Amino acid sequence: MTHLILQAPNLNTERIENIAAVARARGVQNLSTTAVRLLDIDPGESQELKQLCDNLHVDYAFLDEVRPLHECKILAMDMDSTLINIECIDEIADMAGRKAQVSAITEAAMRGEITDFAESLRRRVALLEGVPATALEQVYEERLRLNAGAETLIQAAKKAGLKILLVSGGFTFFTEKLKQRLGLDQAHANLLETANGVLTGKVLGDIVDAQGKAQRLQDLARETDAQAHQIIALGDGANDLKMLALADYSVAYRAKPVVRAQANFALNVSGLDAVLNWFDIPGVVKY
């Protein structure tokens, strides 16, 4: 039996009925004002349904079963443009009037056009040379915001007993603040070098690239004895693909096409907490 979860901020009756008709759903269960579950659909219509949902700007998830969230063990997340609304390195560069140069490299790396993430990061960090270290705090306070649904997702995952991993190709200044703020179990990122109160344009230690992200998730999976079907992982860029490949619940969040093509799920219009509607959570009333 296959179910189809539909989610969108403006999910209305007309859209639901159009999709349900194509899906030949045997029933509709309301999950919230922005989400429904179509019951026992015809999986043979999946390609047409995907196209229809994309055309209607509705996020979708095909599930053979709706499992309890507490059966999962890990929630792993990228930081920049996934957990938070910005690319931190671009905003730091903006403080020095170099955002356009850095952003161009960031975008190319996230699209997968630059395959050596470590080299792309070094190139971008080099452009930060001379920026006051106080710019990092300014970016955090003035520009960094959690993406919609982030806190709800994390709180529900923690309540269900999942370990929360934040792993980023960005910087420890931000991941450590978010770890403390949100009560995360682990956070890994890159360390910017500073001297005399300014950035030197260098990164200290090994760079957390695509393989580094995957390795951090693999390490936690071994510690928790987590299998792929017990891992939820979210990301948006090409350097998240190796990490996402370790999770059955791999989620492309507002992601580049290369990521959407390889992830098992995508959230293009819904908040991060939309993930929760793919699971059975005790105490959450469906109506």
Side-chain angles (χ1 to χ4, degrees):
M1 182 181 297
T2 302
H3 302 311
L4 176 59
I5 288 77
L6 306 176
Q7 305 191 71
N10 54 352
L11 190 64
N12 56 36
T13 301
E14 181 180 1
R15 291 183 179 185
I16 295 169
E17 289 179 346
N18 284 346
I19 298 170
V22 174
R24 301 175 185 175
R26 293 184 181 273
V28 179
Q29 181 182 19
N30 291 316
L31 302 177
S32 72
T33 57
T34 60
V36 300
R37 183 183 298 158
L38 302 186
L39 306 174
D40 193 14
I41 68 159
D42 181 357
E45 303 295 336
S46 61
Q47 290 305 314
E48 183 177 351
L49 287 167
K50 289 176 182 179
Q51 187 62 57
L52 177 59
C53 288
D54 286 340
N55 292 342
L56 294 175
H57 304 291
V58 173
D59 289 330
Y60 57 87
F62 292 88
L63 297 170
D64 291 332
E65 62 175 324
V66 178
R67 299 169 47 227
L69 180 60
H70 65 76
E71 288 186 3
C72 288
K73 294 185 176 182
I74 296 174
L75 170 63
M77 295 174 291
D78 170 51
M79 180 176 69
D80 296 271
S81 299
T82 300
L83 178 63
I84 64 174
N85 65 321
I86 60 172
E87 293 286 335
C88 291
I89 193 169
D90 295 357
E91 301 308 315
I92 298 169
D94 193 35
M95 301 293 179
R98 303 168 194 162
K99 184 173 183 177
Q101 295 166 270
V102 172
S103 294
I105 302 172
T106 299
E107 279 295 306
M110 294 304 99
R111 290 193 299 265
E113 295 167 5
I114 299 176
T115 56
D116 189 339
F117 176 84
E119 179 58 28
S120 79
L121 183 66
R122 291 190 184 96
R123 287 169 54 193
R124 286 176 284 164
V125 171
L127 292 168
L128 304 181
E129 182 179 1
V131 174
T134 54
L136 277 66
E137 184 69 36
Q138 190 174 353
V139 167
Y140 181 80
E141 293 293 338
E142 297 179 7
R143 304 191 181 189
L144 185 151
R145 300 291 181 268
L146 296 175
N147 277 326
E151 289 183 280
T152 301
L153 172 61
I154 289 169
Q155 289 170 3
K158 289 169 65 176
K159 186 176 181 181
L162 280 69
K163 295 292 184 182
I164 316 297
L165 169 67
L166 179 61
V167 60
S168 172
F171 307 119
T172 55
F173 179 88
F174 301 101
T175 56
E176 287 303 313
K177 282 185 173 291
L178 291 166
K179 180 183 177 183
Q180 295 300 317
R181 175 177 170 181
L182 299 170
L184 310 180
D185 294 287
Q186 292 186 19
H188 303 279
N190 300 299
L191 179 60
L192 286 171
E193 182 182 62
T194 61
N196 301 317
V198 300
L199 302 182
T200 66
K202 297 179 180 178
V203 179
L204 296 175
D206 294 334
I207 287 178
V208 179
D209 56 7
Q211 185 56 47
K213 287 186 173 189
Q215 188 62 56
R216 300 312 193 281
L217 178 52
Q218 286 175 322
D219 291 345
L220 183 56
R222 278 195 295 269
E223 291 175 22
T224 58
D225 194 28
Q227 306 301 310
H229 69 275
Q230 298 171 306
I231 300 173
I232 306 166
L234 301 98
D236 72 296
N239 68 322
D240 295 314
L241 287 172
K242 290 185 178 181
M243 174 180 73
L244 295 178
L246 301 172
D248 282 357
Y249 293 97
S250 57
V251 187
Y253 178 79
R254 307 290 196 278
K256 302 298 184 287
V258 66
V259 183
R260 292 199 299 269
Q262 295 186 47
N264 293 329
F265 302 92
L267 295 177
N268 298 318
V269 298
S270 305
L272 291 167
D273 55 341
V275 170
L276 300 174
N277 285 316
W278 304 337
F279 297 91
D280 181 26
I281 303 175
V284 177
V285 178
K286 309 296 190 286
Y287 62 93

